[in-house]
Amino acid sequence: MGLTSTPVLALAVTAAVLLFAVTIWQWPRLAGPGWRALTGRIGLFLATQVAVFASVGLAANNAFLFYGSWADLFGQEQDLGVVVDHSAGGKRVKVMGVQSLDVPGGGRPEKGGRIQKVAVEGEKSGIKSPAYVYLPPEYFQPAYAKKRFPAAIVLTGYPGTAENLIKGLKYPRTAHELAAKGRMQPMVLVLLRPTVAPPRDTECVDIPGGPQTETFFASDLPAAVSGAYRVGTGPANWGVIGNSTGGYCALKIALHHPDRFAAGAGLSAYYKAAEDTTTGDLFHGRQELRNHANLLWSLDNKPPGKTSFLVATSKKGESNLKDTLRFIEKVKEPARVSSITLDSGGHNFTTWRREIPPALEWLSGRLTAG
């Protein structure tokens, strides 16, 4: 049973309830003196506490998906697996496995779409990264056999995993449901984390002498995906969306590369690169690079492109409200900006799940098929 599965949580809760009941029932027998009674009391206390903490921890993990699997929880390396399908083609993208969506008809790709686990190799950056590619049902339908689809890069926060985008934030399922209702067009989603040089948080920066992360996301990734799938190659065909660190990266990539992306959406985004122990020295003392990574500075000092931005925040619970309002004020034509402002919502999965459906609709409305 998987770490995030309902049976595991139910088992932990059941164990906690039963152990509590046993403790209450057996307490009179264990109240006397002697080492056996003492050992019994300690054992029941410890077992009940462990079961309660396990239940709370599993419930919290299911809500926020801090860990996606047992191997993730215990820090074990997860191998990408054995190549089982090369149907996507393209030497820069290798398909490592496939999975269906938990939707009606999900076992048939022409009904439920398909998620492929892939490995992407960046031609310019040299970065290799795992990712997931969601292909909508229309991708497999004869009527769309010659159609090219719009695509969006979807980024997690740091140090999240790409699985969080599927299991916790439910991007593929949400896109499937919205398209089925006619509220967004069918789109290909490329889901991955911004941490392409783990465990380092590169903040989607081209680091002097280090990982060229911005180049990977802005240039290599769209080129590789367009070469492997029926996805358009122009800026009107591509968008990028993310939360937290992924939101910062999404806005930055769209802002810096209007020739490649028509739209960028940042949920709970911040607006300048973090610099701490997880990032290391990103700029090597070069202020021009630090400025370049500051979105508010870029809006003030660089010519605006014809790009659309979506920023999301909340009046209570988010720390980015003030800077989000400043970002909105600084966007100048021909760029456009939209916003989502919740009355209340923290920096967590619950908040992002409220923002993702309207954000995907917004993104769909700003992209065109190839």
Side-chain angles (χ1 to χ4, degrees):
M1 293 185 289
L3 176 65
T4 60
S5 66
T6 300
V8 169
L9 177 59
L11 184 62
V13 172
T14 301
V17 172
L18 289 176
L19 283 168
F20 177 77
V22 170
T23 300
I24 298 300
W25 183 260
Q26 294 293 325
W27 195 256
R29 295 180 59 187
L30 299 173
W35 66 270
R36 289 185 178 178
L38 178 61
T39 302
R41 292 196 298 270
I42 292 174
L44 282 175
F45 263 129
L46 289 177
T48 303
Q49 290 292 327
V50 168
V52 169
F53 281 121
S55 300
V56 173
L58 286 168
N61 189 65
N62 283 8
F64 302 110
L65 275 184
F66 300 115
Y67 300 97
S69 66
W70 294 109
D72 188 18
L73 174 64
F74 293 111
Q76 300 171 350
E77 282 217 28
Q78 300 185 41
D79 190 83
L80 287 175
V82 179
V83 176
V84 298
D85 180 17
H86 283 249
S87 59
K91 63 180 181 180
R92 296 291 175 182
V93 176
K94 292 184 179 180
V95 180
M96 315 301 287
V98 298
Q99 63 188 73
S100 59
L101 268 70
D102 182 20
V103 297
R108 299 166 58 193
E110 69 275 13
K111 295 291 185 180
R114 176 166 287 173
I115 298 172
Q116 295 184 336
K117 187 173 185 178
V118 303
V120 181
E121 180 181 351
E123 182 175 8
K124 295 180 180 179
S125 65
I127 290 174
K128 298 179 182 179
S129 176
Y132 289 90
V133 176
Y134 163 68
L135 302 171
E138 291 80 2
Y139 192 90
F140 302 95
Q141 297 172 3
Y144 293 82
K146 296 183 179 180
K147 177 182 176 64
R148 286 188 170 269
F149 291 80
I153 297 170
V154 185
L155 299 173
T156 67
Y158 175 84
T161 65
E163 289 83 355
N164 288 348
L165 298 169
I166 299 172
K167 297 179 181 179
L169 296 179
K170 304 183 186 301
Y171 270 95
R173 179 170 184 146
T174 303
H176 179 278
E177 292 174 349
L178 291 174
K181 296 175 182 176
R183 291 167 56 184
M184 67 174 285
Q185 62 180 315
M187 290 172 52
V188 172
L189 303 181
V190 186
L191 308 107
L192 69 170
R193 60 180 185 172
T195 315
V196 293
R200 188 177 188 183
D201 176 12
T202 59
E203 294 288 298
C204 297
V205 166
D206 280 350
I207 302 173
Q212 302 296 289
T213 315
E214 184 169 348
T215 295
F216 174 78
F217 285 114
S219 180
D220 289 342
L221 186 57
V225 172
S226 295
Y229 298 91
R230 298 197 314 276
V231 170
T233 58
N237 311 132
W238 277 91
V240 55
I241 182 173
N243 60 273
S244 192
T245 299
Y248 162 72
C249 289
L251 294 175
K252 179 169 68 173
I253 291 167
L255 176 62
H256 289 173
H257 304 277
D259 58 327
R260 297 171 188 160
F261 296 89
L267 313 181
S268 301
Y270 47 89
Y271 299 93
K272 65 178 181 179
E275 295 181 73
D276 53 33
T277 56
T278 67
T279 66
D281 188 355
L282 295 176
F283 307 112
H284 291 236
R286 296 172 59 179
Q287 187 60 40
E288 72 275 15
L289 297 181
R290 182 174 284 105
N291 289 340
H292 182 70
N294 186 321
L295 307 190
L296 302 180
W297 184 94
S298 294
L299 288 172
D300 283 338
N301 293 278
K302 295 189 176 183
K306 193 176 181 180
T307 309
S308 295
F309 303 102
L310 174 67
V311 289
T313 185
S314 62
K315 296 176 183 178
K316 294 182 179 179
E318 288 279 19
S319 62
N320 72 336
L321 177 60
K322 183 178 179 180
D323 282 343
T324 297
L325 296 176
R326 291 178 63 197
F327 182 92
I328 293 170
E329 292 175 358
K330 291 176 181 291
V331 173
K332 301 294 188 295
E333 293 185 349
R336 296 185 297 168
V337 63
S338 305
S339 66
I340 298 172
T341 304
L342 303 177
D343 287 334
S344 177
H347 198 83
N348 55 52
F349 277 37
T350 301
T351 296
W352 300 327
R353 281 193 288 259
R354 297 164 62 194
E355 297 167 343
I356 288 169
L360 283 177
E361 289 187 54
W362 175 90
L363 193 61
S364 169
R366 278 138 185 90
L367 303 181
T368 60

